[in-house]
Structures are given as structure tokens and as C-alpha cells.
Amino acid sequence: MSFPHSYLRSTFGALHRPRVLRQDLLASLVVFLVALPLCVGVAVASGVPAELGLVTGIVGGLVVGFLPGSSLQVSGPAAGLTVLVFEAVEKFGLGMLGAIVLLSGVLQIVLGLLRCGRWFRAISGSVVQGMLAGIGLVLIFGQLYTMAGAPQPRSGPDKLLGVPGLAIDAVGERGMATGVTIGLGTIAVLVLWPRVPARLRVVPAPLAAVALATGVTAVLEADVAHVTVRGLYDAVQPPGLDDLAALGGAAVLGTALAFTLIASAESLFSAAAVDRMHNGPRTHYDKELVAQGIGNSLCGVLGALPMTAVIVRSSANVAAGATTSLSRILHGAWLLLFTVLLPAAIGVIPLAALAGVLVHAGCKLVPVRQIGPLLRRDRGEALVLGATAVAIVTTNLFEGVILGVVLAVAKSAWDTSHIRVDVREKDGERLVVTLHGTATFLRLPRVLETLEALPKDRPIELDLAGLAHLDLACQNALEGWALRHNEAGCDPVRLTLSGVGHHTASRELRPADVVAAPLPEGDAGAAPGDRP
């Protein structure tokens, strides 16, 4: 019992101070106002009732907010999972969504208990940026159709290729033009809101944009689609026994695994970003992973959307001056009160306005400003980013991320095996060939091309002092080249072994040596007794 008591005391011990209580109360209201339109928008974009997004936000505040891990990070439905949720609902049905989210939550708990939280931080940054860029592009193109009141094509390429036709239809049809105008106006408010006077910026940009769009739509009596409201009780649909039994299918397991990995990675990357925004307690990644798992398990039981820690709401929480977990807990309480007491208020929101909010959020997921510097610094990383994003748009989120991870591993292996071959003349006669880096089979063709192009009538010294590692393939190749060189009647090849392992030695490679005294493998150096 000491753990929960000590945690609660450290978290809420400062609440007896009025200034801390006031700051956290005001911060919770700010986070609530930011979360409200985003919870509804993410749910609508995911193809589920709007109330399910609010349920996930409520669980993220009232449940995850109490758990240890990160004190200022806010959890709820995220735009990053919109595409995957939409595909899952289309493929398996709304009833299976809760079962998949429940399994994902259990997997997150297991990963956290196994202390795997820190390993999610080892995912290549280019893969993460590519994943977010791909999600952002799919979100942008998909919500353009919602903005215009047109049905979305199912595949990413169809969404992209259909945009020109959608624009032509929107110009010619009044109803579509009205929706597009409302959506573009919402985006304009989001972009320009940081420039308005400070007293107006007390209202969060998403809430201001949606409220203005809703007001204009009501005043003009515009004929546009609005959010469908079913009521919290009717919207919550726990998974049935048949849904739970279907979790053994390969396709369902793959989707649950994708939910687990992406939600965990997004939450922990968000935690790392939030930790850089404040000077309070740092995130415990394994505990945060368990907390996210508990939250997702409960969301699965309620048939709601999956949750992640979200950077927009978390940064708003920090910027509003929050100092304890009370702010994120209270934001969940405000969401619950709003959903119970004012559910009809959701129904007056035009879908085009929410689509505008999500298009703006999608644009922020595409790292446009980072692409140029990344190209100049490391084109390989830029390639991984671009390939991941394109794969997500053309296939799906899970396959795109897997491709990105494979490319990142391949690039890492290629970079790790980097080797530089330098040839210089010594004493006007001897050629010294120096190898630097890591000698692996991946770079073997280049090494052999350089060695085989050397003149046959001059003595050669092969210096391996700069090698950090020499694998078996390179070892055999060097021995074979030396054997062919010596059998041709040339001067023996002299080999310098300093730097390979912990010993320094040099010797001449003759045909007999190749069999009797092979080069050291891996980190094993030549023994001092090998000196001539």
C-alpha cells in the first residue's frame, strides 16, 4: 500500500497551496476546451460515433490521469491513429473495434511490465517522422472529401487522384462549395489565431475556429451536414463474446499489434517532447506504458477509440501553467460533464468545421521544414522518411511502418559497414593500403576492386590498423587475394594488424601462411609471437 500512497502524496501534496490549485484548475479548463473539438473530430474521421471520442478523452483524464508515468502528459484519441481505426472499422466492423483496443491495451501492459518502454525510444526518428507524414497526408486528403460532403474513396491513391475532380465538383455545386468554404474558413482561423490580441487567445484556437464556424453556419442557415448525436448510453457498445473469440484471426492480431506499437511509440515520443517543456518530474517510460495499457483496456471494454498521449493537449497543459496531474484529471471530468449535460451541443457542429480542424492537424504532422535540412545532412534518412510516408499513403499504416523499419535497419547496417580504402606510396617504392572502419561482406566488392587494381611489380603493405571489426568473409577474401598475389611471383604482402583487437603485429603473407596462420577473426588480434 505504500506505493499508491507515496505516489498520490507526491502528486497532490502541493494542492493545499491556493496558487497551485488555481493554476491546475485553469489549465484543466484550457485542456478541456482544446480536447473537446479534437475528440469529436477524431471520432468522426475514424468512422465511429462522436461520443466514442469523448469517452476515450474521459478515460484518458479520469483513469490515466491518476496513474504514474508522466505527470503533465494528457491522453485521449489521436489523429495519428485515425487512419488505422477507420480501416479497422471498415474491415471488421464497429463491434470488433473494442475487442482490438482491449487486446492492444493488454499488450501494452505486458510490454510495460517487461520494461520494454525504453526500447520504443530506439525507433528511428526518420521512421516516426515518415509515419506521421503519411498519416498526415492520408488525413488531409480524406478530410477534403468530408469537408465537401462527398464520400471518401477507400484507398490512399484513390483519395489523392480524386482531389482534382473533387475541386471541380465543389466549384460547380453550391452545397459542396458551402462546406468547402466553412472548412477553409476554419483552417484560416486556426492559422491566424496566434496573431490575434492576447486577450482573445485565452480561448484555444480549435475551440474558437469550431465555434465561429458553427455560429456562421447557424446565422446563414447553411445547408451542410452536422455531427450525428446518439447519446452516450447508445454509443457505448462493449465487445461481445463473438468479437473476443475473433481475436485469434491473423488479420485481427496484425491490426491489434499495429495499434499497440503505434500507440506506444506515439505516447512515449510525446512523453520525451513534454519532458523538454517543463522542469518537473521526468516520465517513467515503463510506468507510462502500463498506464496507457490500462487506459486502452478500459476503452476496449467500453467499445471506444484507442488512446495515446497527445502532444497538442499536453503542450497546452504545460503552457497553461499546470504543475500536477490534477489538471489532466479535471479535464476528463469537464469532458464527462459536457457529454452528460450538453450532448445536444455536439449536434450543432458542422462536419466541415471538424474536417478543417483535422486538415490543419494533418498539415502539422508533415515535417515540411525538416525535410530540407535532413536532405543536406543525411539523404539516406530523408529517403527512409519519404519511403515510409509514400508506403503509408499507397498501402496502409501497418505495412508502411514495417517498410520504414526495414529500410532504417538496412541503412543502419550499410552505415555501420562503412569502410575507407586509402592507397599511398612509401619510400618511393612500397605501396601502403590502409583500411579504416568496419570490414564486412557488404563492402567487400569495393575493397577487392581496389586491391586487384594494384600493380603486381611493387611490394604492398596492407595496414588494418584502422579497422574496428573484420568479419569472416573479409578475412577469407584478404587471404585469398594475398595468396593469388604471392603465387604470381610478386613480392610478399606485408600485413599490419595494429588496431584489430588489442595487439600490434606485422608479418608477411606467404602461401603457407594463408593456411597455417589465418588472419584474426572479429576482435581477436595477432599474438606477439607472430612477429617475424
Side-chain angles (χ1 to χ4, degrees):
M1 296 297 292
S2 61
F3 167 71
H5 180 267
S6 62
Y7 169 69
L8 293 174
R9 183 176 57 186
S10 64
T11 302
F12 303 109
L15 294 183
H16 66 279
R17 291 181 291 177
R19 184 179 63 84
V20 174
L21 182 60
R22 183 175 63 255
Q23 283 182 339
D24 283 358
L25 180 61
L26 292 175
S28 70
L29 290 171
V30 172
V31 178
F32 158 68
L33 294 176
V34 173
L36 178 61
L38 291 177
C39 288
V40 176
V42 169
V44 173
S46 301
V48 304
E51 292 88 344
L52 293 184
L54 292 170
V55 170
T56 300
I58 292 168
V59 173
L62 294 180
V63 177
V64 178
F66 268 107
L67 299 175
S70 176
S71 59
L72 300 182
Q73 186 164 244
V74 181
S75 299
L81 283 172
T82 300
V83 177
L84 191 57
V85 172
F86 184 84
E87 292 176 353
V89 172
E90 284 285 307
K91 187 172 183 179
F92 306 113
L94 183 58
M96 275 298 298
L97 177 62
I100 295 173
V101 174
L102 173 60
L103 177 58
S104 300
V106 172
L107 291 175
Q108 284 183 305
I109 295 173
V110 172
L111 290 173
L113 294 176
L114 294 176
R115 306 186 66 181
C116 296
R118 63 182 182 272
W119 291 108
F120 282 91
R121 303 172 67 189
I123 298 176
S124 168
S126 297
V127 175
V128 175
Q129 285 187 315
M131 177 190 73
L132 295 177
I135 291 170
L137 291 173
V138 174
L139 195 60
I140 291 168
F141 294 124
Q143 291 306 302
L144 290 177
Y145 291 88
T146 302
M147 191 184 297
Q152 286 191 37
R154 296 195 62 177
S155 69
D158 289 341
K159 292 177 182 177
L160 178 59
L161 296 175
V163 169
L166 181 68
I168 295 173
D169 293 340
V171 172
E173 187 175 335
R174 182 177 180 181
M176 295 180 69
T178 302
V180 171
T181 302
I182 293 173
L184 294 178
T186 303
I187 296 172
V189 172
L190 291 168
V191 173
L192 298 176
W193 197 250
R195 302 180 183 180
V196 303
R199 62 179 180 276
L200 295 179
R201 292 202 303 271
V202 174
V203 181
L207 181 66
V210 172
L212 288 173
T214 303
V216 170
T217 303
V219 170
L220 299 180
E221 297 182 351
D223 184 17
V224 294
H226 292 75
V227 177
T228 302
V229 180
R230 298 170 50 187
L232 191 62
Y233 180 79
D234 293 332
V236 172
Q237 297 180 0
L241 294 178
D242 292 340
D243 298 323
L244 297 176
L247 288 175
V252 176
L253 287 175
T255 302
L257 182 61
F259 274 40
T260 303
L261 296 178
I262 295 172
S264 301
E266 188 170 343
S267 295
L268 298 183
F269 276 112
S270 174
V274 173
D275 281 349
R276 292 194 291 268
M277 298 178 185
H278 65 90
N279 297 321
R282 304 292 92 180
T283 298
H284 190 294
Y285 287 91
D286 296 323
K287 292 180 181 178
E288 178 65 17
L289 193 55
V290 172
Q292 293 293 326
I294 293 173
N296 272 316
S297 298
L298 183 55
C299 287
V301 170
L302 297 174
L305 290 174
M307 75 166 56
T308 72
V310 276
I311 190 64
V312 175
R313 275 155 272 186
S314 301
S315 59
N317 190 36
V318 175
T323 56
T324 72
S325 292
L326 181 64
S327 60
R328 61 180 188 168
I329 295 171
L330 286 178
H331 115 275
W334 305 138
L335 285 175
L336 177 60
L337 289 174
F338 178 87
T339 306
V340 173
L341 300 179
L342 297 171
I346 303 173
V348 302
I349 301 175
L351 286 177
L354 294 178
V357 171
L358 291 174
V359 167
H360 181 261
C363 291
K364 294 174 70 174
L365 291 176
V366 181
V368 177
R369 295 182 179 179
Q370 287 79 20
I371 292 176
L374 187 61
L375 276 171
R376 291 189 293 269
R377 186 174 68 250
D378 193 332
R379 293 183 180 180
E381 292 289 343
L383 175 63
V384 172
L385 188 157
T388 303
V390 171
I392 289 173
V393 173
T394 55
T395 58
N396 57 60
L397 187 59
F398 183 66
E399 293 179 5
V401 171
I402 292 299
L403 176 64
V405 171
V406 171
L407 289 176
V409 171
K411 178 187 177 297
S412 178
W414 185 259
D415 291 342
T416 303
S417 65
H418 177 74
I419 189 170
R420 189 176 79 250
V421 183
D422 296 327
V423 181
R424 60 186 176 87
E425 193 176 83
K426 182 179 181 181
D427 300 331
E429 180 181 5
R430 181 180 296 275
L431 293 177
V432 179
V433 182
T434 306
L435 273 60
H436 299 276
T438 304
T440 68
F441 68 94
L442 293 174
R443 301 302 177 97
L444 188 54
R446 179 187 175 188
V447 174
L448 290 179
E449 287 175 4
T450 302
L451 294 177
E452 290 170 353
L454 296 175
K456 308 297 184 184
D457 56 349
R458 300 181 64 178
I460 298 173
E461 180 179 339
L462 185 59
D463 186 359
L464 307 184
L467 288 182
H469 175 73
L470 179 67
D471 73 1
L472 184 61
C474 281
Q475 169 186 320
N476 293 335
L478 290 176
E479 292 172 350
W481 168 77
L483 178 60
R484 293 191 300 273
H485 182 89
N486 294 342
E487 287 180 338
C490 306
D491 289 335
V493 175
R494 178 168 291 275
L495 186 66
T496 301
L497 298 172
S498 59
V500 184
H502 305 287
H503 304 289
T504 299
S506 63
R507 59 173 174 160
E508 291 183 356
L509 278 181
R510 302 181 182 275
D513 294 332
V514 174
V515 178
L519 291 177
E521 179 180 355
D523 293 332
D530 288 337
R531 296 179 185 273

